[in-house]
Amino acid sequence: MMNLYAFAKGLVKTVLTPAYRIRTVGKEHIPEHGGVLICANHINVLDPPVVGITSPRPVSFMAKEELFNMPVLKKLLPNLNAFPVKRGMSDREALRKGLKQLKDGNVVGLFPEGTRSKDGQIGKGLAGAGFFALRSDAAVVPCAIIGPYKFSRRLKVVYGKPINMAELKERKASATEVTEIIMNEIKTLSDNHR
């Protein structure tokens, strides 16, 4: 039997790709094996499924804890590779789950800004992205989602080359500094592909 993630990915791809004329650039930058941390800007509630359908590998996302208390979603979300996070505070359990996913060689998708951009501009990232990047051996792949989400207008998803984490770890960069570097890479991708 086909797993729910693969079924949902196929279904969502069939709907969203023609609706937003989604074009993907740089999929080859996502390593075929090993842990990968995809860090993307956040402009729309549809960003997680859009990253999910454009990534060649299944992606796990953190989702706000409240969603896991809803009758239908609490059964559905874990089967779609989502795991809960308490918003607005340091959630050690969510951090542990995310790191374990990366250690197990899976792909985790993060939106370092923590919330959707109100004006479509790329905002400041939270240190959590830098924490995951520094505490794991995952490849850190920046991703720019270039809108707008308007019917039949082109939406572009651009994956960049993995960030050189070895150099950052060697010079003992802080989580905040690493997050800034990640956000700069996302902004550069966005600026270069408009």
Side-chain angles (χ1 to χ4, degrees):
M1 191 174 102
M2 181 189 267
N3 76 26
L4 184 61
Y5 184 95
F7 173 76
K9 178 174 179 172
L11 184 65
V12 171
K13 197 172 197 166
T14 304
V15 174
L16 293 186
T17 302
Y20 297 112
R21 296 174 57 219
I22 296 172
R23 179 163 168 247
T24 310
V25 178
K27 272 200 277 200
E28 69 278 6
H29 296 312
I30 298 172
E32 289 179 27
H33 307 286
V36 178
L37 182 65
I38 295 175
C39 293
N41 59 313
H42 201 4
I43 57 172
N44 192 285
V45 71
L46 292 174
D47 292 339
V50 163
V51 171
I53 64 172
T54 57
S55 164
R57 294 175 58 190
V59 185
S60 296
F61 288 99
M62 289 184 187
K64 59 183 180 181
E65 190 182 45
E66 298 81 28
L67 296 175
F68 288 81
N69 297 326
M70 298 171 134
V72 176
L73 291 179
K74 74 176 170 191
K75 285 194 170 49
L76 195 60
L77 288 173
N79 288 307
L80 296 174
N81 296 355
F83 56 99
V85 62
K86 293 182 180 86
R87 297 206 315 175
M89 62 182 80
S90 172
D91 183 351
R92 290 182 187 280
E93 185 56 28
L95 294 174
R96 264 197 297 274
K97 281 183 181 160
L99 285 172
K100 183 173 184 338
Q101 289 275 354
L102 295 170
K103 193 175 186 177
D104 290 348
N106 297 316
V107 181
V108 172
L110 270 188
F111 299 101
E113 293 157 292
T115 188
R116 290 190 303 278
S117 168
K118 302 276 189 284
D119 59 4
Q121 297 302 307
I122 295 172
K124 189 171 163 45
L126 303 172
F131 171 86
F132 277 114
L134 289 167
R135 293 288 293 272
S136 70
D137 290 324
V140 180
V141 176
C143 171
I145 301 169
I146 305 165
Y149 277 87
K150 291 211 171 121
F151 186 73
S152 93
R153 291 273 301 275
R154 169 132 0 249
L155 181 76
K156 204 185 275 188
V157 181
V158 184
Y159 293 99
K161 290 180 179 167
I163 292 166
N164 185 347
M165 285 306 301
E167 182 191 308
L168 293 169
K169 286 177 181 179
E170 198 175 296
R171 65 177 173 88
K172 299 195 177 358
S174 70
T176 302
E177 190 184 345
V178 171
T179 298
E180 278 175 24
I181 289 165
I182 292 168
M183 295 311 295
N184 285 338
E185 289 290 325
I186 295 170
K187 186 164 185 346
T188 300
L189 287 174
S190 180
D191 291 345
N192 290 346
H193 286 87
R194 284 199 178 270

